[in-house]
Amino acid sequence: MTELTKLTDTYSLNNGTKIPIVGFGTWQTPDGQVAYDSVLAALKAGYRHIDTAAAYGNEDSVGKAIADSGVAREDLFVTTKLWNADHGYDTTKAALETSLQKLGLDYVDLYLIHWPNPAAMRDNFEQLTADTWKAMEELYASRKARAIGVSNFRPKHLDVLLKTAKVVPAVNQIFLNPSDMEDEVVAYNEAHGILSEAYSPLGTGKIFGIPELKTIAAKYNKSVAQVVLRWSLQNGFLPLPKSVHADRIEQNTELFDFELSAADMETIDGMHGVAGLANDPDQVNF
């Protein structure tokens, strides 16, 4: 396990880019004052890794908070994502330009394909994946994105992408928490040098009602959220906790003054299904 001492410690991606080991998530954070205030609070609390997406509809507010934070651009790691309607060579490039304009940035640190197999494009999945990834690779080569990757990809989707890829994805951002460790996906990621990022590391809040987690949290005098985020780090994942409450945003940074025992890690590892499972990308209707 990597020595974990502070929020701004980094993992090295497969292209050498350094990525802070905890990111601040903005999924389901509404655009406007809420998104602005929460990102500003996160940056004030010490986060230097912000995760957004075109589909979240809040890139404008995220960008404004970044601009107003006073944190130097080179000290930040910013991720955004390509949404389903923009798969394809030309549309991928145009979509990143739109995202950069909204964010007020010249480049992003990480650009991800948000979803592997959009419902409207399933008849042409392999070709669209190849065309989209080619555009991603060119955006990477032009330094519009310091690293490129994917989200919600299963091994079969990554197999298709890697048929034509010249650049192996740096990251696969997946639904990853005690309720669904996505073992097959994580093993594939590890075998290919792809970092597993955890969106919904707290199971969209459902894990807070799990009695065993409450017991473990009480033992360490920590919150359930802190325990689960620490669990994520000790598994070598990169969690992206999301909150719109300044006190919880701050609390979710306090992960480095305790370590979960091997027995407690094993208990949490065994909680499969307690708070829902990842959606099958090939079965959803978007």
Side-chain angles (χ1 to χ4, degrees):
M1 185 183 77
T2 304
E3 184 72 21
L4 305 172
T5 62
K6 60 186 185 299
L7 200 64
T8 53
D9 283 348
T10 58
Y11 295 127
S12 290
L13 298 178
N14 59 19
N15 69 347
T17 298
K18 303 294 187 184
I19 182 169
I21 59 175
V22 180
F24 183 70
T26 62
W27 181 39
Q28 298 178 327
T29 301
D31 196 36
Q33 200 67 41
V34 174
Y36 175 84
D37 288 345
S38 62
V39 172
L40 208 56
L43 293 169
K44 184 178 179 182
Y47 286 91
R48 292 296 178 264
H49 175 179
I50 305 296
D51 181 273
T52 185
Y56 299 171
N58 58 20
E59 289 171 312
D60 285 301
S61 300
V62 170
K64 188 171 187 302
I66 288 170
D68 291 351
S69 70
V71 178
R73 176 65 183 96
E74 60 267 24
D75 294 333
L76 287 174
F77 192 100
V78 181
T79 300
T80 195
K81 309 178 192 76
L82 175 81
W83 189 234
N84 294 355
D86 294 320
H87 283 215
Y89 179 79
D90 291 327
T91 41
T92 294
K93 289 192 167 186
L96 180 56
E97 288 300 329
T98 298
S99 287
L100 289 173
Q101 286 179 1
K102 289 182 176 181
L103 288 164
L105 301 176
D106 296 324
Y107 67 93
V108 290
D109 298 277
L110 180 62
Y111 196 42
L112 304 179
I113 300 176
H114 202 153
W115 201 260
N117 195 8
M121 304 180 180
R122 285 181 186 150
D123 291 343
N124 196 24
F125 165 59
E126 291 211 17
Q127 187 60 53
L128 271 171
T129 298
D131 293 346
T132 300
W133 194 248
K134 182 181 179 184
M136 299 277 285
E137 290 177 333
E138 291 179 10
L139 291 167
Y140 170 60
S142 71
R143 306 299 289 169
K144 293 280 188 179
R146 293 177 61 229
I148 53 175
V150 297
S151 183
N152 298 293
F153 274 54
R154 301 281 175 90
K156 59 186 174 182
H157 306 118
L158 287 161
D159 282 341
V160 167
L161 184 147
L162 291 172
K163 282 183 184 179
T164 60
K166 296 176 182 175
V167 176
V168 175
V171 164
N172 189 7
Q173 187 180 122
I174 55 178
F175 182 82
L176 188 55
N177 57 64
S179 188
D180 195 347
M181 293 184 68
E182 298 215 49
D183 294 322
E184 183 186 4
V185 183
V186 169
Y188 188 107
N189 291 344
E190 289 178 354
H192 291 82
I194 301 168
L195 177 66
S196 296
E197 272 192 349
Y199 75 80
S200 295
L202 305 176
T204 60
K206 294 177 184 175
I207 61 158
F208 297 133
I210 308 304
E212 294 88 345
L213 284 173
K214 293 179 182 179
T215 300
I216 292 171
K219 183 165 74 172
Y220 292 93
N221 195 28
K222 288 289 182 178
S223 70
V224 168
Q226 288 167 326
V227 163
V228 173
L229 294 172
R230 180 72 198 189
W231 167 88
S232 190
L233 289 172
Q234 287 183 216
N235 271 313
F237 308 147
L238 194 161
L240 301 166
K242 169 256 179 185
S243 179
V244 297
H245 303 286
D247 57 340
R248 291 181 196 159
I249 290 169
E250 176 80 33
Q251 191 179 75
N252 288 345
T253 70
E254 296 166 0
L255 310 174
F256 305 100
D257 57 352
F258 75 110
E259 183 171 346
L260 296 171
S261 69
D264 288 331
M265 288 292 292
E266 187 176 348
T267 297
I268 299 171
D269 285 351
M271 292 183 175
H272 185 77
V274 295
L277 302 174
N279 289 320
D280 182 343
D282 297 329
Q283 299 300 320
V284 298
N285 62 356
F286 53 80

